[in-house]
Amino acid sequence: MRESVQAEVMMSFLVSEELSFRIPVELCYEACDPYAVRLTFHLPGDDPVTWAFGRELLIDGVGRPCGEGDVRVSPAGSDLLGDVLIRLQVGGDQALFRSSTAPVIAFLDRTDKLVPLGQEAALADFDSHLDEALDRILAEEQSAG
């Protein structure tokens, strides 16, 4: 059985109203972490940056504005099959990305075939994910300080 779903989508990084550029973004979903999707942004001149957030947020955000805090997803306009906006924020800094909705929906459809929406709990191992996340955070803090 397949354990993950991956796709590469070209998105526009909207720097300002006047400036944007296209970048490849890897979308990844793993059955071992069934509630999350990971988006890895390949910005020119920088190391790739990965954001993980709820699969359901991405699903809901394709059709209506969703999210609070660091991640917000919404349709770019009234056309449901148009584009989707993904806003990521850390403190006062934010990045806005625009993607065609079709490849995002195709990716989400493949994730649903791997782990149907609503059946994530049968696969989730929260204790091991929590331990891994805490170990990663502690290691990053130790290497930074």
Side-chain angles (χ1 to χ4, degrees), residues 40-53:
T40 301
F41 299 89
H42 295 274
L43 299 168
D46 285 332
D47 291 332
V49 175
T50 300
W51 278 71
F53 55 89

Side-chain angles (χ1 to χ4, degrees), residues 7 71 84 90 98 104 110 132:
V71 180
V84 63
V90 176
R98 184 179 193 133
V104 174
R110 291 174 47 218
E132 289 173 18

Side-chain angles (χ1 to χ4, degrees), residues 17-100:
E17 288 187 27
E18 300 83 26
L19 178 62
S20 68
F21 52 92
R22 310 243 328 135
I23 63 166
V25 179
E26 294 174 34
L27 286 69
C28 183
Y29 176 79
E30 297 176 337
C32 65
D33 190 7
Y35 289 103
V37 292
R38 285 176 176 68
L39 279 64
T40 301
F41 299 89
H42 295 274
L43 299 168
D46 285 332
D47 291 332
V49 175
T50 300
W51 278 71
F53 55 89
R55 172 174 69 156
E56 197 165 347
L57 173 63
L58 189 57
I59 291 169
D60 291 346
V62 167
R64 62 180 174 82
C66 290
E68 295 179 15
D70 297 344
V71 180
R72 296 172 189 243
V73 182
S74 65
S78 60
D79 181 10
L80 195 58
L81 296 177
D83 290 346
V84 63
L85 296 173
I86 300 171
R87 183 180 314 271
L88 307 173
Q89 186 165 344
V90 176
D93 296 328
Q94 67 177 348
L96 181 61
F97 300 89
R98 184 179 193 133
S99 172
S100 173

Side-chain angles (χ1 to χ4, degrees), residues 31-32 34-35 115-116 118-126:
C32 65
Y35 289 103
V115 179
Q119 295 184 14
E120 298 92 347
L123 296 174
D125 182 359
F126 288 110

